[in-house]
Structure formats: structure tokens, C-alpha cells
Amino acid sequence: MAKKKYAQKADKPAKEIIDTPQVATPSPIPDFLSYKSSFYILLVLLVLANFWVFKDFLLGKKVFLYKDIGSDTLNQIYAFAKMIIETIEKDGIPKWSFQQGLGQYVAPFNLGNPFHWLIYLLGKDNLPYSIALVEFIKFISAGLLFYAYLRQLSLSALACILGGLVYGLSGFLSISSGWFNFFTGWAVELSFWLFALEYLLRGKGWYYMPIAIALVAIDQPFNLFLIGEFSIVYVISWYFFQEHIKLNTYLINIGKLIGSGLLGLLMGGIMFGANIFTMLNSPRVSGGSSYFDTLTSRPPLQPVDALQAGTIVSRFFGNNLLGAGNNYKGWTNYMEAPTFYLGLLGLLLFPQVFLLLKDKFRKTAATVATLVAIIILFPFFRYAFWGFTGDYYRLLSLFIGITILLAGLWVISEMEKGKKINLILLGGTVVFWVALLSINYTDDWNTVMVSSEKVKAMLTFIVLTALLLTYHFTRKNLVKYLIVAITFIEATGVTYATLNKRDIITASEWKEKSGFNDYSNEAVQYLKERDKSFYRVEKDYSSGTAIHVSTNDPMVQGYNGTTVYTAFNHKNQVSFMAGLGMINPKQEFETRWLSGIRNRPFVLGHVGVKYVLSRDVIPFKNFGYDSLTTVNDIKVFSNPNALPMGFTYDGYMTRANFENLSMLQKDLALMQAFVVEDKEKSTFGQLREVKDSTSVLTLEQVKLLSDNLKKEALNIKQFSNNNFEGDLTLSTPKLLYLSIPYDEGWKVWANGQPQTTRKVTYGMTGVLLDKGKHNITMKYEPPYEKAGIWATLGGLLIYAGLLAWSFMQRKKSMGIQQS
């Protein structure tokens, strides 16, 4: 075969090498938003943001007490804390206190939150400032725990940072903090609950879940119901969002969840039972003043009204678009309005899930979205979520906000994986939100602050949209940093305005001789030095400087009074006051603010009010009160007709006869007889029946009748909040009447023998005694306290045993795998 001939190539001339300077290629900005550093980045961001928000409180320029619609910070939070601290100093672990109305078991709801313990440890002198410090810690803790939860979802580091940041600066946290900051503890508990739940569902371990449930149980048991509802939806949705999971494995984890729940309740028994007892013994639950009938009567498909709809829309964009504090112009009030705000980024991105999700997951997302829409648009279903206990949003706002936020954070994670978002949908979304922002929802929309908040929200939407578009095309790390920065500025600004642009007590104002620091304190101290016996004090004024009248002055100023304002007042004090016509027990509002006794000068003596502090609101001299002294602008009167805490009756009056009397006749009748239910007449057969009251009311008559009741009264020799010792001698069988709301925790012994306590005069305590000499001992033993302690000890032992067994099994399993 002939060989092919190849043409010889001519040599090419060598190229001339030109020595030109090299231009360096710009190095990309490094990505520090990794899992390794994300926790520390978030921690720094949360500390910086919350320091800016709380700086005036932390540096002592202001105290964390509000005079506006958030007056509960002053009238409840501060008052509760001061009472508990002083009770601990005097009695040890708080049980009963006579500074809460006519007396009540005060440990429930005050000792269940670990954050409260820190406030108590810091002492009463630091109280106004320590409240702010603890709120600062709560905000940071909430953000970090929510971050830990997001990590369980396998979201990107950027998404976890953003989620933790906006949760730690959420609308729910900031508005609750400047109102009734027990709620901010709930946000911390919820974030830990979600972390524990996700940890369990993913098969990593059950051991966080009992702790999460126990923390909620000892703080606010009703939240077990609310968070439980949310968790049911969460757990069911979780299953349908999983790509690969065996039903058997899922059901096993559900079993572990149920077991963990029961164990958590057992571990929290020490306070869980006490909290339940207090709720059940309040008029809001068992006293006939609940909203159940009213709320269940609303048509299920009746939508929200225009004002509430506008408020709902506005509260997604921030807390203050309808004004802050007393300047708020939306539905109900600034505090009770929905608190959906969890940053604007989630609102921009959550619609993308319906395009990015696979078909089988899209249906689940649509179902969840429909459920959320129904709850928002039709109040009946919101009432149902709350068990028809009230017209509330509160925690429900946080659940809805979290749902939307999770969708948005998932989209961010998908974008970082290289997924492309739909730009048309993004553009439509931002136009839609800006259009909603442009609508005037109230006549006062154009105030300076409202206009400013509206413009800020619009600009933030536009800037975030521009950044998302840039990242969509370039994937630059710089864009991620800018998204974090914008979110940081946005959320910090909203939270700062919520807590600072309000009517707040300054540090200098707090030190003045006004408000709770007025001369009432000196007057109370004068009485304590003058009289060492047990007695009550009343005022015809309130010392608080907030827009709402303070009725918790006894808690703050350290005296035994009659007034009180709490969420769960003792139902038998409410019943007593209702029986005397002081309040309408069907009006839930009236059962929380109890101050009517001080408007009845003769009834004050009946409940042992021996002294009155007056600013001439009530002319006490006209009712026979004697002037003692004057302390600055406060007049101190003594009540010559004040009865001891324990005095005796030889007669009773049936309820039917008593209710036929006029108000003044009722007051006088209480100086002659106690009141019993008609069907209980036979129980008191050994006493005389009084069928009518005197029709002539004179000061001499009042003095004569009160002196008669004092003749065979209980001579108290020793007393504390939880114990009384004394004696009395009876010439005939009588009823020892104790001006203490009837409570099964009070135990009474006469000459060492246990006595049966009875509810008399609508809600007070009575003990039938035979004639003769009686040594009386009284002790308050919180109902179910011992059972609760044993439950907690048993729960902790079971938990420790199961935990040890779990780790041994895991170690054994690892050993088998290695071998």
C-alpha cells in the first residue's frame, strides 16, 4: 500500500511577546453566612438590635413602666413583682397574701416563669430596671431558640439568621413587652417547644419535649391548649411535607410525643395544679362572667368588619402603621390588635412556595393557607381557636406570623440552592403590598408617625425587591449581607418605635414624691408603727399615674387592702361583692377591677378596714370615722366600727330576705346577721333567724351594732399571711365569721380539732362553734400542693430514668455498629 505523502509545513515566524501589566481579577466577597458562624452572627445582631431598643432602660434614663395603654406594666407587672418579693422576704415561698384583694393564693402565675425568678432575685429596689433587663434577655433568648428550631428544618444559614433576627424583634414580643410582659415569656417557650417538637419528629430524640411542655404547664396551662392546637396542625402538615418517611416511623414518633406530653405535665405538677386551681376558682372560668355565650352566638361565616380588616392588613407591615400607644386608631386597642409582624421579607417571598413546591406538597401548603385565611377573615373560627374564652389574637398572631415566615425562609433557602423565583409573581407581590399600604384604613391615617411608618414600609419593600432581583441574577454574597442589613434596620426600627415612642415614666419622675412613691408610703409606715395587730387599710384615691386607675396599690405600698386587679381574681371575693350589689358578675370586665368596697364606708368595717387614707374624695367624717393625723396631703382616719378579722354572729339571714333590702339596709343587716342560701337554713338551726334589717340608720346605731359584734370576737395572738392563732369564749353557739374569701386551702382547728369551714354571706368564710372557750388555729395549705410536689418529683425521676436508658441504648447501638 502506497504511503501518503504529507506536505511539509513552513515554519511560522515566532510571535512577539509583549510585556503588558496584568489586571487582577476582582476576588469575590467571602461568604461568612455559614452554619459554623451563623449562631455568633445572629447573637451579635440580636444583642446590638435589642441594646438599641432597650438602651434608655438599661442605662437608667427611663424605667420600663408605661403610663399609656400599656399601664399593666405599672399596675400589674410591677405590682405583682413587688408583692412577691416582699412576701418571699417575710414568709418564704409565697402562698396566701392579704395584699391581693381581700386575700388570695398568689403563687400561681407568679412563680411559674423562670424569667420572673431573675427579677425576684434582683430585689425590689432594682425592680423598675430589672424588668427591662429581663425583657432584653427574653428577646435575645427567643431569637436564638427560634434559630435553633430553624436549624432543625435544614434551612440555609442565611434563612436561619434572618428568621432568628425577626423573631427576636417580632411584633408579638415588642407589643407584649410594653404591656403585659408575661406574654413575652410565652414567645420564648413557644420557640423552645417548636425546637423540641421538630427534634422529636425527625427522630433525633424525645428528651427536650417534656421540658418544653413542663415549662408551659408551670407558667400558663391554658397555653397548652393553644400551642397544642397549633402543634396538631403542624404535626399533620409535617407528615405531608416529607419526601420519604414511613408511616410506621411517623406513628412511633407521635407516640413518643404523646408520652412526652404526659411526662411533661407530671414534671410541671408543682405549679400546673396550682395554676389550674386558680383559673377554675376565678369568675372568668367558673363564675358566670365568661364570654362563651356571646361568642358562640356569632354567625360562623360573618366576616370581619372594615376597621378590623384594615387593622389586620396594617399589622402585617409593622406595629405602628395605625399609631402607637394612645395614638393608635385601629380595631379595639394598641395591645389587643393582631401582632402579625415578623419582618417584611417573608411577606414578599411566601407566595413563591406555590410555584417552587412539588405538586404533592403544593396541596398541603394550599390547605394550610386556606386554614389561616379562614381564621383571619371569619372571627367565629378565631373565637373557636381560643375556646370561646375571648375576642383575642395574642398567641394566635404569632402562630400565623410564624407560618408565613417559614414559607418565606424556605424560599430563601431554595434560592441559595440555585432555584429561580418567579419574577412576575415577585413584582405582582410587591405591587399588591404597596397598594394595600396606600389605602387609608382610618380617618387619622395622615398623622406624622403613621405616614412615616407607611413610607418606611413601602421603601423597605422596594429595596428588598431590588436586592432579591439582584441576587436572582448575580448570586453575589454582598447581596445576602445587604438583605440581612436591611432586615436588621427594618425590624430594629419597628421595635424601637413600639417601646420608646410612648408615654413612659422617666428615671427622674420615678424618684419624685408622686405616683406609687407618694406620701401613702409614709402614712402606711405610720400605721404599722402605731398598730401591730391584723387590720386592713383603704384609700379613697389611687396612687398610680397611668391612664388607668390603679387598684393594686396594696401590693406596691405594702398594706392589707380590699382592691385588686388581676386576670383571675378570687371568685368568692367577686361573689361577695356581687351579692352586696357592688359589681355585675356577668360583666367580665367588672370581675377583674375590684374596687367597689371602698365606696361603702359601713362595709369597710365589716371586712376589717381599720384605717383609711383620704384625699377628701369620700367624706369619711360623715360616716363616724375619726381623724388621726395628716401626712403631707393625705389625711389618715381610723374606723371606730371596724370589726376584727374574726368576729361572731348568733343570727343569720336568708338570701331571699337579704336581697329584698335596700343598699343601706344591707350594710346595716351585715352588723346583725350573716347571709346563707335559703336551702341551708337547717345547717344553722341552732342560731336565730333575722328576717329584716332596721330601717333607721344612725351613727349611734352603727356603733352599737358593731360593738355588740366585737364582744365575743377572735383575739388574735399571732398571725402571718398563712397562719393565725387566737382564742375566744362564746356564751352561746355562734358562727365565727372570717373576713377571708372562702377557700378550701384554709384549714381551721378549734382546741386541736379540725373544723368544717362554710361559705357564708355570698363568699366569706364561716365556722360553726359551740359555746365555751376555743383556742383557734388557722393555716393556709394550698390545695393539691403536696400532690403537685409528688407529681413533679415522680416526673423528674421517670425522666431521669428514661433519659439514662435512652443513652445506654444509643451507646449500645453505636457499639454494635462499630463492631
Side-chain angles (χ1 to χ4, degrees), residues 45-60:
L45 291 174
L46 286 171
V47 170
L48 290 175
N50 283 295
F51 180 77
W52 178 257
V53 170
F54 288 96
K55 67 181 189 304
D56 286 348
F57 306 106
L58 297 176
L59 298 177

Side-chain angles (χ1 to χ4, degrees), residues 61-315:
K61 295 180 181 179
K62 302 174 184 175
V63 296
F64 202 69
L65 303 171
Y66 292 80
K67 296 188 288 183
D68 62 4
I69 190 68
S71 63
D72 279 354
T73 55
L74 179 65
N75 293 340
Q76 284 207 83
I77 302 301
Y78 175 75
F80 294 162
K82 194 165 190 292
M83 175 188 66
I84 292 297
I85 292 171
E86 291 183 342
T87 303
I88 291 172
E89 291 174 351
K90 186 166 56 176
D91 299 328
I93 297 175
K95 295 181 181 178
W96 189 269
S97 175
F98 287 99
Q99 292 178 7
Q100 186 161 311
L102 292 174
Q104 191 168 355
Y105 182 27
V106 296
F109 304 108
N110 286 313
L111 297 184
N113 192 310
F115 290 108
H116 297 170
W117 307 342
L118 178 57
I119 292 176
Y120 304 151
L121 286 172
L122 292 172
K124 62 183 178 183
D125 294 335
N126 299 314
L127 190 52
Y129 306 97
S130 61
I131 291 174
L133 174 62
V134 170
E135 289 304 294
F136 173 75
I137 295 171
K138 284 183 189 176
F139 278 49
I140 295 171
S141 301
L144 294 177
L145 285 169
F146 195 73
Y147 162 88
Y149 159 64
L150 296 176
R151 285 292 303 270
Q152 299 305 310
L153 299 178
S154 301
L155 297 178
S156 68
L158 173 62
C160 292
I161 291 171
L162 290 169
L165 179 61
V166 297
Y167 190 88
L169 295 166
S170 64
F172 180 85
L173 273 173
S174 53
I175 286 182
S176 299
S177 184
W179 169 34
F180 192 75
N181 55 32
F182 283 29
F183 296 173
T184 53
W186 301 355
V188 179
E189 293 161 5
L190 175 61
S191 57
F192 181 63
W193 178 300
L194 289 172
F195 163 76
L197 180 60
E198 191 67 31
Y199 200 84
L200 185 151
L201 290 174
R202 291 179 180 269
K204 295 182 178 181
W206 57 269
Y207 28 84
Y208 292 117
M209 202 67 228
I211 298 174
I213 291 172
L215 288 173
V216 175
I218 65 175
D219 187 10
Q220 172 50 275
F222 188 67
N223 286 348
L224 292 171
F225 171 70
L226 299 176
I227 301 177
E229 289 181 288
F230 178 68
S231 296
I232 290 172
V233 176
Y234 184 98
V235 168
I236 295 172
S237 303
W238 186 93
Y239 176 77
F240 289 103
F241 274 125
Q242 302 308 304
E243 187 77 54
H244 303 290
I245 186 171
K246 294 180 179 179
L247 179 60
N248 186 51
T249 302
Y250 173 75
L251 293 177
I252 289 173
N253 287 334
I254 295 299
K256 291 180 180 178
L257 176 60
I258 294 171
S260 296
L262 295 174
L263 180 56
L265 292 179
L266 202 61
M267 291 165 61
I270 192 168
M271 289 305 302
F272 176 62
N275 292 340
I276 291 292
F277 174 80
T278 298
M279 290 172 65
L280 293 177
N281 279 274
S282 76
R284 297 181 76 179
V285 177
S286 61
S289 67
S290 71
Y291 289 121
F292 186 85
D293 292 339
T294 302
L295 297 177
T296 53
S297 64
R298 177 163 182 153
L301 296 182
Q302 181 179 337
V304 296
D305 58 41
L307 181 59
Q308 187 173 174
T311 303
I312 289 169
V313 171
S314 299
R315 281 299 183 95

Side-chain angles (χ1 to χ4, degrees), residues 645-657:
M645 188 274 290
F647 59 92
T648 57
Y649 283 111
D650 64 357
Y652 67 90
M653 180 178 285
T654 63
R655 179 171 182 163
N657 287 331

Side-chain angles (χ1 to χ4, degrees), residues 87 91 93-98 719-724 746 778-782:
T87 303
D91 299 328
I93 297 175
K95 295 181 181 178
W96 189 269
S97 175
F98 287 99
F719 68 90
S720 67
N721 274 317
N722 305 302
N723 296 277
F724 286 85
W746 276 107
M778 296 169 53
K779 184 177 181 181
Y780 186 73
E781 298 176 350

Side-chain angles (χ1 to χ4, degrees), residues 652-653 657 660-661 665 669 672-673 689-695:
Y652 67 90
M653 180 178 285
N657 287 331
N660 286 328
L661 303 175
Q665 286 178 322
Q672 303 170 73
E689 181 179 359
V690 178
K691 294 188 176 182
D692 200 359
S693 174
T694 180
S695 58

